[in-house]
Amino acid sequence: MNCLTITSRSYYYCYYSELPIYSLKFKTSIYPRSVKIKGLANVIDFRASCCLAKATPSPTPSTNMDGAEDEVKSEEYSTNMTEAMGAVLTYRHELGMNYNFIRPDLIVGSCLQTPEDVDKLRSIQVNTIYCLQQDPDLAYFDVDINAIREYASTFDDIQHLRAEIRDFDGTDLRLRLPAVVSKLHKAVNRNGGVTYIHCTAGLGRAPATALAYMFWVQGYKLNNALSLLLRNRKCFPNVDAIKSATADILTGLKKRSITLTWNGDTCSTVEVSGLDVGWSQKIPLEYDEKHGSWILHRDLLEGRYEYKYIVDGEWMTNTNEPVTSVNKDGHINNYVQVVDKDPESISAALWTRLGADDFDLTTNEREIIKQFLDEYPDDE
């Protein structure tokens, strides 16, 4: 039988309840070194799992494409995006900046391409431009971010900010979201007016950041915010990453060991894609001659992960492991929910609630998240 097992191995602990204010200390630059949070009783240590002061480079294609047209780059980017995100998505850079109002004060869109795009955003009363791209993303489409930022700085009614998130990487999105949304929250409080959030295509990182902001700061239920977002812009935000980041703030980062098993001695290679590495990367399984099966042991942060096996180059699901329902593109994947096995634990209870269609944060949880975002240290 092909199977998956989870070994309870919790690295980091935190409990929250209706308690007085306690000191919450962090030992890495990605989360605050000291934040006093109402309702937190124990200390969270984020050192091992969140050392991401700077996000790692995106797996963007090489910029050495002499003579290539923007259409060719757009086609290649769209293909990479579709493969990496598991959804059919298209971006046409050559058509210029595109965007949609999600709310009167919140816009999600594609990247600025020239300083003149700053003028376009000022004409619709944008006060904050929030760029989530990394330098390789910008270089791929020959975007001069320094010229854009310099031009924006000549005006006193608009501010250009950056907070890098690795493209097509749900794990990096999860770990970066608290810092990214904190910076956004403070910018909106400072600048007011309309905020323009963008990544490269405005289909993944930007809508996810907007969704987390609406959920954590603006008081929406997650599903209500998602419905509003999708009504106004066709996009593919990583909802699981937002749920995971929510749990990280409330209960701390915890890792547990899982084991994936593929039975069969007639194949020559078995790999998995997805999990915490995304759909553009593959992890090889090791063959266990004694049991005639392929094995992968991996430590994962608590959360829900989708994955798929690649057996001798053929993508397939394991029918002996949980599978998702068919998505809008006709695909199904295996998935694993990595959580404390004790159903009475705070983290297990929270993850159960996160899986509900009508999930909402309690008043106390919203206060914890708001104070976390308020007191998160600025990076610039």
Side-chain angles (χ1 to χ4, degrees), residues 136-154:
D137 306 332
L138 297 159
Y140 178 61
F141 282 112
D142 300 317
V143 175
D144 187 346
I145 189 66
N146 292 326
I148 292 171
R149 287 170 63 85
E150 182 177 351
Y151 183 65
S153 70
T154 64

Side-chain angles (χ1 to χ4, degrees), residues 347-358:
S347 63
L350 177 59
W351 276 107
T352 298
R353 291 173 51 222
L354 283 166
D357 290 338
D358 61 346

Side-chain angles (χ1 to χ4, degrees), residues 53-305:
K54 294 184 178 179
T56 50
S58 299
T60 343
S62 169
T63 60
N64 186 19
M65 301 175 65
D66 294 342
E69 298 292 331
D70 275 349
E71 294 92 323
V72 176
K73 291 185 178 183
S74 293
E75 187 66 33
E76 185 172 358
Y77 182 84
S78 296
T79 298
N80 291 340
M81 180 166 52
T82 294
E83 292 177 352
M85 297 177 67
V88 179
L89 301 168
T90 302
Y91 171 57
R92 310 309 307 183
H93 186 80
E94 66 276 9
L95 299 181
M97 182 174 63
N98 71 83
Y99 57 83
N100 298 93
F101 277 85
I102 310 305
R103 290 168 35 105
D105 60 350
L106 185 62
I107 304 173
V108 172
S110 63
C111 64
L112 282 71
Q113 301 182 17
T114 68
E116 288 73 24
D117 285 333
V118 175
D119 292 326
K120 296 176 184 177
L121 296 181
R122 291 183 67 231
S123 72
I124 55 173
Q125 286 75 54
V126 169
N127 300 103
T128 302
I129 301 169
Y130 202 39
C131 172
L132 304 175
Q133 293 174 285
Q134 294 185 292
D135 289 342
D137 306 332
L138 297 159
Y140 178 61
F141 282 112
D142 300 317
V143 175
D144 187 346
I145 189 66
N146 292 326
I148 292 171
R149 287 170 63 85
E150 182 177 351
Y151 183 65
S153 70
T154 64
F155 302 101
D156 59 10
D157 61 350
I158 195 166
Q159 183 181 22
H160 189 290
L161 297 173
R162 294 186 68 185
E164 300 180 29
I165 301 175
R166 178 181 167 93
D167 210 355
F168 316 140
D169 189 329
T171 300
D172 192 59
L173 175 65
R174 168 189 184 163
L175 294 175
R176 293 285 297 163
L177 266 178
V180 170
V181 175
S182 172
K183 188 171 184 177
L184 171 63
H185 171 52
K186 293 172 184 176
V188 172
N189 285 345
R190 181 173 61 249
N191 299 332
V194 181
T195 300
Y196 184 86
I197 306 174
H198 77 85
C199 45
T200 298
L203 300 177
R205 292 168 288 180
T209 298
L211 181 57
Y213 176 73
M214 294 166 68
F215 179 39
W216 292 346
V217 177
Q218 294 186 317
Y220 285 84
K221 284 187 176 182
L222 183 57
N223 279 0
N224 291 348
L226 179 62
S227 296
L228 177 61
L229 175 67
L230 296 181
R231 280 201 305 270
N232 289 288
R233 184 171 180 83
K234 182 181 179 181
C235 55
F236 197 72
N238 189 327
V239 177
D240 284 339
I242 296 169
K243 291 181 177 180
S244 297
T246 303
D248 293 342
I249 294 174
L250 294 173
T251 68
L253 288 167
K254 303 174 186 177
K255 276 192 174 183
R256 304 188 187 281
S257 295
I258 69 162
T259 299
L260 298 180
T261 303
W262 181 272
N263 284 337
D265 55 6
T266 59
C267 48
S268 57
T269 63
V270 179
E271 303 165 298
V272 293
S273 186
L275 288 179
D276 59 333
V277 298
W279 297 107
S280 61
Q281 300 184 56
K282 301 173 183 177
I283 309 170
L285 278 70
E286 295 186 0
Y287 184 64
D288 183 341
E289 292 187 8
K290 180 179 179 180
H291 298 96
S293 58
W294 299 79
I295 306 294
L296 173 68
H297 300 290
R298 195 165 185 84
D299 291 337
L300 296 175
L301 290 167
E302 286 190 346
R304 183 180 184 277
Y305 299 86

